Amino acid sequence: MLFPESIFELLILSSLFLMSIAAIALIVMLLRDIKTKNLW
Amino acid sequence: MKALSTCLLVLFLTLGLKAIDPEPPQFENPPENFTESGYIKLSWEWIPGAESANGHEFELQQAPDAQFSSSTAIYQGQDFATFLSGLKNGDYYYRVRVKEGGPWSAWSEPTLVRVQHHSLSLAFTLFGLGALVFLLTVGIVVQGNRKVTQNP
Amino acid sequence: MEHQSEILSPTTGWILLILLAILWIYLGIYWGKKAKNLDGFMLAGRNVGLAFGTATAMATWITSNTTMLAPQFALQLGIWGMIAYSTAAFGLFLFAPLAKRIKQLMPKGYTSGDFIRLRYGNTAWYIFLAISIFYGFTWLISMGMAGGILMNALAGIPYEIGMTMILLVCVLYTLFGGLYAVIGTDYIQSLIVMIGIVVVGAAVLYSIDLEQVYSDLQTEKPMLIDALLPASLIAIFNNLLFGIGEVFHSNVWWSRAFAMRKGVGQKAYTLAGLFWLPVPIAAGFIALTSGSLGVNITSPDMVGPLMAGHILGQVGAVIVFIVFFCSLASSIDSLLAATSDLIVEDIYKKMINPKAKEQRIRRISMFVIIGLGVFAWLVCLPRIGTLATVLFFAGPMVASTIYPIAMGLYWKTASPKGALWAMVLGSLSGLIAYFNLGWYTASLIGAAVSIVVTTLFAKINKEEFQWKLLDESQSGPNG
């Protein structure tokens, strides 16, 4: 029983997409912490 | 005088041998290999001859039988090893040869890779045990967290 | 000898290495100025916010193991292998509520060793310290070696020099900046690693057709896309439980729980888990394209860097070099800091010199960081490849600590004897499984035995633990 090709592609594309979102979120979080002086 | 002629003879012989085919490479793996996970590394050794300055090239063949009646070349290049993975259950025979600009060497002694994956029942048993332990762990943390949030 | 040529010139390698070294050491000194007292040096003032908290948890979990081993898993165990690696994110997800609980029960705690000592007493504490220090140390060594091997493979920098450089840089900035430097650099490193992986991944997708990759796999390595590859099915939960064991017990994660501001820990660990989840797949799938691109792999742990270099050329090689350096440094610094905390707090302060003043403890902690670095360097020097596999012995050991930790934090009846026997029997049975059934069963068996033992002892135990005993600031030292 093989993984369907669509699952294979979906896994890869969604992981790359999620990582770009995560990188953006991390930057947004930093800016927010700087603005509210909550960095550390 | 005799010593000199012996030297010349040796020199002639070695040169003569060099002019013929290069020595075939030899697998570093044992003649028979066994894997339960479908992956294995094949590596081989080979001592370059006088013409190795021109570069060398290996060819690795795979076949379902020791006679290599229906073989496929799975690697051509300079590396001394290759990593195989994703093999199905079965017997796979491999042999390798080399050339240094000139003709191909003879084939190496073949090596056998026998792939016999773990049984699915063992896999599912361990998968099930793992799933159970994991779910219990989640349960312990989630339930514990809920309890202390309600009455710390 | 297995010829596999480097993908970057040594000169470029050296320039990158020196630039990165200067950057991290400068930042270490800069942030180190914030560390005015011991809590500052060891725990970054116990007031770390959400952005830094999330990034540091994630960066530490992205190690050379993620960037090297995830592609290796993909190449050996296929699609399930990548997913199996991703499940290590559950270590972070499940630790999130624990982080909140830890901060609440031990507002002035320093290490995971503190918890075990106060919760279970000395005997369990000794065993726990042995497991934890063994694990921390093997992890440190495996990464020191990985650093040397990578720089050698990527840029032809000799193994000894590359290994020495990465250890030296990390020791220096951790020494100057303490946990402030570790967390600050972790933020930058995690961003670099994420952007680097996305860029490489996108470039791979641009240069190759996934349909083609899939059909090539189908003919050349069919089991890799098989949903019923037995070895991978077994590996999934084993890897997951190994990950949970690593995160639950290791002081690397506890020290961050202590360092984060109240109310931040749970959110930060949950987000870190989410952000980390796709990394092994995004970094790992590249390995599956090797067949389609006709790249020969001689050593599975080099498949990731090799493919990136092959597809992206010099630019790719530079990115890969920086990504690897960052992923290594972000874990080595954390390990140096957290392991030295464990040794200073649990061994020096609690066993050798309980009356030591703050100034002295900070001095000792700097010596310990240097000592750890030197010791790791000495062990890494001979480049015994098999040594890195010692890290896998730690699997069953750390998995056996999951339940003494988790139940100890939530169940009043979890008992000292239970914790002790869970760790001893779990580790032993896991190691037996390692040698008799295969490495991919060891953590699973260790965890299974541990959960049964801890639960049984908790059920027959009548004594209820008083949570307030965990807060030493209330009960006084050694109380």
Side-chain angles (χ1 to χ4, degrees), chain B residues 3 5 10 12-13 39 60 62 65 78 82 85 93 101 105 114 123-124 127 129 134 139 143-144 149:
Chain B
S5 60
V10 170
F12 175 78
L13 276 176
Y39 61 79
L60 178 70
Q62 172 186 301
D65 60 287
Q78 296 196 326
T82 196
S85 64
Y93 290 86
S105 72
R114 178 161 290 161
F124 278 121
F127 183 88
L129 178 66
F134 168 62
Q143 191 225 14
T149 322

Side-chain angles (χ1 to χ4, degrees), chain B:
Chain B
M1 198 53 197
K2 189 160 188 195
L4 186 67
S5 60
T6 320
C7 275
L8 279 173
L9 185 68
V10 170
L11 193 68
F12 175 78
L13 276 176
T14 34
L15 279 178
L17 277 173
K18 279 279 177 290
I20 327 169
D21 305 348
E23 281 289 307
Q26 287 305 324
F27 281 111
E28 288 172 333
N29 304 67
E32 286 186 18
N33 306 271
F34 182 68
T35 164
E36 289 177 309
S37 40
Y39 61 79
I40 190 169
K41 176 174 163 173
L42 289 181
S43 60
W44 48 89
E45 49 186 7
W46 172 73
I47 297 131
E51 284 151 87
S52 65
N54 305 329
H56 62 268
E57 189 185 355
F58 293 112
E59 182 183 355
L60 178 70
Q61 272 191 349
Q62 172 186 301
D65 60 287
Q67 287 72 48
F68 289 84
S69 44
S70 64
S71 59
T72 37
I74 55 165
Y75 173 61
Q76 277 178 314
Q78 296 196 326
D79 297 347
F80 284 73
T82 196
F83 186 79
L84 305 164
S85 64
L87 297 171
K88 285 186 171 179
N89 281 346
D91 287 357
Y92 301 83
Y93 290 86
Y94 296 91
R95 59 182 185 180
V96 60
R97 62 178 178 173
V98 67
K99 69 172 173 189
E100 314 178 74
W104 285 107
S105 72
W107 287 106
S108 68
E109 287 296 314
T111 187
L112 162 69
V113 174
R114 178 161 290 161
V115 182
Q116 176 65 55
H117 285 280
H118 289 286
S119 75
L120 271 175
S121 55
L122 174 73
F124 278 121
T125 309
L126 287 168
F127 183 88
L129 178 66
L132 180 70
V133 175
F134 168 62
L135 289 176
L136 286 173
T137 312
V138 173
I140 291 164
V141 172
V142 169
Q143 191 225 14
N145 185 47
R146 190 177 301 155
K147 222 163 69 188
V148 298
T149 322
Q150 279 160 3
N151 43 335

Side-chain angles (χ1 to χ4, degrees), chain B residues 79 81-83 85-86 118 137, chain C residues 2-3 75 223 296-297 403 440:
Chain B
D79 297 347
T82 196
F83 186 79
S85 64
H118 289 286
T137 312
Chain C
E2 291 137 25
H3 163 95
L75 187 66
M223 288 307 276
N296 182 49
I297 305 299
Y403 307 97
Y440 36 76

